[in-house]
Amino acid sequence: MNETIQRFDCFVENKPGVLARVIGLISGRGYNIQALNVGPTEDGTVSRMRIDVLGNEKVLNQVILQLRNQVNVIEVTGRKRRSAR
Amino acid sequence: MKTIRERTGAVALVEALEKAGTEVLFGYPGGAVIDIFDSLKDAKFRFVLGRHEQGCAHMADGYARSSGKVGVCLVTSGPGATNVVTGLGTAYLDGVPMVMITGQVPLAQIGTDAFQEADMSGISRAVTKHSFLVQSADEIPETVAQAFYIATHGKPGPVVIDIPKNCQQALTKAQYPERVNLRAYHPEYTARPQQIARFAKLLNEAKRPVIYAGGGAIAAFASGDLTALARKAQIPVATTLMGLGAFDQRDPLSLGMAGMHGAPCANYAIDEADLIVAMGVRFSDRVTGKISKYAKKAKIVHIDCNPAEVDKNVTVHLGIVADVRDVIANVNSRVKANEHPEWLARIAQWKQDYPISYQPLHPGVIMPQQAIEAINKVSDGEAIVVTDVGQQQMWAAQYVTHRHPRRFLTSGGMGTMGFGIPAAIGAALARPDLKTIAICGDGGAQMTFEEVVVAVLEKLPITIVVINNGCLGMVRQWQELFYKKNYSHTILKEKGLPYLPDFVKLAKAHGAAAYRVIDPAKLESTMKKAINAKRTTLVEVIVDPDANVYPMIPGGKSVKEMIFK
């Protein structure tokens, strides 16, 4: 399957260790994160992460489901950005 | 109003564990948990002292698998914590609920490479559902409640609570919460009525249906409903390795285990089926073989509590994310009684033509399968059978009559050698009403043999059967079949020397009774004596080293490429 850039938007609880858990799930599969942006939302207890990853779309969809299973992840959405190369 | 008593975090932890329903705590002391051990003197639960932290973790795991309750374990920081990582991974891959409490250096020393410091919340991330690093004594009661909730809701799994030493010592008034409130974790899903209706329709229309049940069916306590559905609609039932016991193998509808070393009739039935009802399975590579050739004629209904499982390995026609037991109970009332006589006749023919069987290779030498048959005859399908990993695990899966859920405990996902002996200790503590038998190879038995002392001191009448073929049999089998018989470092018995260690002497040194069987004629009588003994007993069975596990579908191959011998 073609590799595409997939963008995840994650809303997570603003707690220590959450970023590491989210990133670990992606990097543990050998994917290289192309871009990462983390910041607060209007609700100070919630952070937003925007992550761009280059990878197989089916596997990345699987990652979304596994991210949703995480205890501190409130919501994840993903969308394809563009085909790579 | 009742005045709230102030006590240390360590005491609050013990109270919280009691409130969470802990009956047995497995563990091993160390510097970073002295305070918790100090407060165990008033605990209402039993404490079992292991001899290695990995053993403690597998004991908690065996306790959880056999009882359906949470296994709880307490170890120290640093090496104590890293030693349980294998135990956590084993529980994680098989979906076993566990709460692992690890000590940690004081908060102020974290990150300074202090003595016995390890970043446990980091190390455990990939092998747990969740890990907590406690920041203050006030967090302890609520964290314990949340950990038990996470371990048991959704797909069960292990949770780590890492507690810095200063938090154990600090005073707190925090109370155990009435209910758990996790903002982002709500893993309860229910089936939509349309899904149930579609499921019932598929069941009613199927000509060649197969139920395919995994560990998730046992975890959801769905065996009873599964059996009712199978009998009402006359649907044959195959299980995974983890699903053994979900359906009584004495029932004529039982196909046995599917997969790499599964029963031919189970694999053929899945290959020919027009409907596969998969419940609580992952469609692991050990079961599907070559995925592009798997169950091509079938529509697949996949029921699982974990949304990430559906459509992961195979694409399904109907995926239902919900509690397996709820779905089956619900669909039972809408399914018509059915018979499928042609399909069942075809299956009966496969059973007759392709039974799982073996032939003795050398006269007067015990075949390993014979040893399992002897165990099965004495225990009559009623005992808890715990395996290690490798050939004996597969022979135990094939030659034990699995009749009840939670009585076949095996490390299916992780394939952890050394699981057998400690997991059997945990199981025997959870179910003193049943006999517990650990079946190990000579390789795996050496990995956690130190725990035999625990069985002896806790007065557990478990039977440890060491199937000794003098080699790491499963790897040796692959070397024979796929690596041109280059037996690179898999032969444990040196030519011309007696086998080392001497398992009988070793067991006796640990305080257990022990027998060695070489003569096939004495196999059953020795097994009977050992299994019926009222104390920890080891039986070493010297078996034919050339025996292989068959049938076999080589990795990545399809059912058409099954090898019979």
Side-chain angles (χ1 to χ4, degrees):
Chain A
M1 199 181 279
N2 285 339
E3 296 213 320
T4 52
I5 298 251
Q6 181 98 0
R7 170 167 287 179
F8 301 117
D9 279 306
C10 308
F11 291 91
V12 301
E13 288 186 86
N14 182 7
K15 286 183 176 175
V18 178
L19 174 64
R21 229 180 150 86
V22 169
I23 295 309
L25 232 159
I26 296 168
S27 61
R29 291 167 171 268
Y31 287 129
N32 196 12
I33 290 170
Q34 310 283 315
L36 169 66
N37 193 326
V38 186
T41 62
E42 280 182 16
D43 177 348
T45 64
V46 176
S47 299
R48 176 194 180 125
M49 295 179 191
R50 175 165 278 191
I51 310 162
D52 284 357
V53 184
L54 179 65
N56 169 323
E57 195 179 332
K58 187 174 177 197
V59 176
L60 293 173
N61 284 336
Q62 180 69 32
V63 169
I64 293 177
L65 294 172
Q66 293 186 344
L67 283 172
R68 286 191 186 134
N69 274 346
Q70 298 302 308
V71 169
N72 300 122
V73 174
I74 298 164
E75 181 47 20
V76 190
T77 53
R79 62 194 142 92
K80 189 158 78 171
R81 287 201 61 213
R82 62 183 158 79
S83 289
R85 282 178 288 275
Chain B
M1 202 179 123
K2 205 175 117 187
T3 50
I4 297 166
R5 191 169 54 89
E6 199 171 45
R7 73 283 196 231
T8 65
V11 172
L13 172 71
V14 173
E15 280 176 19
L17 291 177
E18 284 170 353
K19 291 236 164 81
T22 306
E23 289 167 353
V24 186
L25 174 65
F26 302 90
Y28 203 90
V33 284
I34 298 184
D35 291 276
I36 301 173
F37 274 83
D38 187 57
S39 53
L40 282 179
K41 59 185 184 295
D42 302 319
K44 294 192 183 81
F45 47 77
R46 180 170 180 175
F47 182 82
V48 173
L49 177 64
R51 288 300 182 272
H52 185 295
E53 287 92 350
Q54 182 189 349
C56 300
H58 292 323
M59 285 177 204
D61 181 318
Y63 175 89
R65 286 181 204 237
S66 58
S67 66
K69 298 171 189 164
V70 177
V72 194
C73 189
L74 166 64
V75 299
T76 192
S77 64
T82 55
N83 273 345
V84 300
V85 171
T86 302
L88 290 169
T90 304
Y92 183 60
L93 277 193
D94 287 344
V96 178
M98 198 191 279
V99 170
M100 177 67 64
I101 296 149
T102 56
Q104 181 56 278
V105 300
L107 272 176
Q109 284 180 30
I110 288 183
T112 66
D113 294 343
F115 178 65
Q116 291 193 332
E117 181 189 353
D119 170 14
M120 190 52 180
S121 57
I123 289 170
S124 65
R125 197 177 298 131
V127 289
T128 53
K129 279 186 81 175
H130 195 67
S131 39
F132 292 96
L133 171 59
V134 169
Q135 308 279 343
S136 87
D138 295 339
E139 291 178 10
I140 290 174
E142 184 160 23
T143 303
V144 169
Q146 291 181 345
F148 274 77
Y149 181 91
I150 295 165
T152 50
H153 288 69
K155 179 178 178 174
V159 180
V160 163
I161 310 177
D162 200 28
I163 311 182
K165 185 164 174 153
N166 64 304
C167 301
Q168 300 166 26
Q169 294 168 332
L171 295 174
T172 178
K173 289 182 173 179
Q175 294 296 298
Y176 193 78
E178 300 263 322
R179 64 175 65 85
V180 173
N181 190 11
L182 285 162
R183 178 176 189 175
Y185 190 65
H186 306 285
E188 263 82 40
Y189 304 91
T190 45
R192 294 192 299 275
Q194 306 95 293
Q195 289 179 311
I196 299 289
R198 255 190 88 194
F199 182 20
K201 188 161 179 278
L202 285 167
L203 279 168
N204 288 334
E205 286 170 358
K207 298 275 181 284
R208 303 185 307 279
V210 172
I211 290 174
Y212 167 53
I218 292 174
F221 295 90
S223 292
D225 296 284
L226 184 169
T227 305
L229 174 64
R231 288 184 180 156
K232 183 175 180 188
Q234 288 293 296
I235 306 173
V237 182
T239 74
T240 64
L241 176 70
M242 294 304 300
L244 288 170
F247 189 72
D248 186 351
Q249 293 193 332
R250 287 202 186 150
D251 191 304
L253 289 168
S254 171
L255 296 166
M257 178 174 77
M260 180 177 275
H261 293 297
C265 69
N267 288 327
Y268 290 145
I270 286 172
D271 193 47
E272 286 292 317
D274 67 351
L275 177 70
I276 291 173
V277 180
M279 38 182 91
V281 300
R282 299 181 294 141
F283 291 102
S284 133
D285 57 288
R286 297 284 117 157
V287 165
T288 60
K290 189 171 190 167
I291 216 102
S292 61
K293 298 252 178 81
Y294 181 73
K296 293 314 280 180
K297 297 169 191 163
K299 291 182 177 167
I300 298 176
V301 179
H302 190 183
I303 312 156
D304 204 283
C305 66
N306 182 359
E309 283 303 335
V310 176
D311 276 336
K312 183 176 83 174
N313 292 335
V314 299
T315 308
V316 303
H317 293 76
L318 173 61
I320 305 179
V321 179
D323 179 74
V324 172
R325 188 183 175 184
D326 279 354
V327 174
I328 304 301
N330 219 328
V331 86
N332 265 351
S333 56
R334 291 156 199 252
V335 160
K336 290 190 291 214
N338 215 328
E339 293 194 332
H340 308 296
E342 280 171 34
W343 177 228
L344 293 180
R346 196 142 169 230
I347 282 165
Q349 193 65 45
W350 281 326
K351 276 190 193 174
Q352 198 183 325
D353 293 349
Y354 307 101
I356 290 182
S357 64
Y358 64 94
Q359 296 295 326
L361 297 172
H362 304 100
V365 182
I366 298 175
M367 287 297 283
Q369 296 93 327
Q370 247 177 304
I372 310 290
E373 283 178 331
I375 294 168
N376 194 41
K377 194 163 176 201
V378 176
S379 58
D380 197 29
E382 296 299 321
I384 297 178
V385 172
V386 189
T387 78
D388 223 88
V389 166
Q391 287 184 313
Q392 34 66 40
Q393 177 187 31
M394 290 300 119
W395 286 317
Q398 292 175 333
Y399 290 93
V400 169
T401 312
H402 304 280
R403 305 204 60 206
H404 307 284
R406 302 191 181 280
R407 294 199 197 171
F408 182 68
L409 316 187
T410 196
S411 170
M414 193 74 152
T416 306
M417 284 174 71
F419 175 79
I421 292 171
I425 292 169
L429 283 156
R431 294 298 302 268
D433 53 321
L434 296 174
K435 292 190 190 306
T436 300
I437 303 162
I439 300 176
C440 306
D442 48 303
Q446 290 183 59
M447 286 197 176
T448 47
F449 202 88
E450 75 284 347
E451 308 302 338
V452 172
V453 167
V454 181
V456 171
L457 294 178
E458 297 289 331
K459 299 188 171 59
L460 302 174
I462 63 173
T463 310
I464 299 157
V465 180
V466 178
I467 307 284
N468 189 346
N469 59 2
C471 62
L472 303 174
M474 189 57 99
V475 179
R476 188 208 57 75
Q477 175 170 343
W478 282 56
Q479 289 171 334
E480 179 188 332
L481 297 175
F482 312 121
Y483 290 84
K484 298 176 183 156
K485 303 193 179 180
N486 175 20
Y487 299 125
S488 183
H489 303 284
T490 47
I491 311 303
L492 299 183
K493 185 182 183 304
E494 293 280 336
K495 274 206 179 91
L497 285 179
Y499 188 91
L500 294 174
D502 181 325
F503 278 108
V504 169
K505 281 188 189 156
L506 191 62
K508 286 181 176 164
H510 285 68
Y515 309 100
R516 177 176 293 125
V517 194
I518 301 167
D519 179 1
K522 298 206 173 116
L523 183 58
E524 201 179 306
S525 59
T526 312
M527 223 46 104
K528 198 169 185 176
K529 195 160 55 177
I531 291 171
N532 291 328
K534 297 264 189 293
R535 57 182 287 204
T536 310
T537 306
L538 178 138
V539 182
E540 181 191 23
V541 187
I542 308 296
V543 300
D544 198 316
D546 296 330
N548 282 341
V549 182
Y550 293 118
M552 177 181 196
I553 301 172
K557 298 285 174 70
S558 75
V559 63
K560 302 276 187 299
E561 292 151 289
M562 198 183 309
I563 308 172
F564 289 92
K565 62 181 163 190

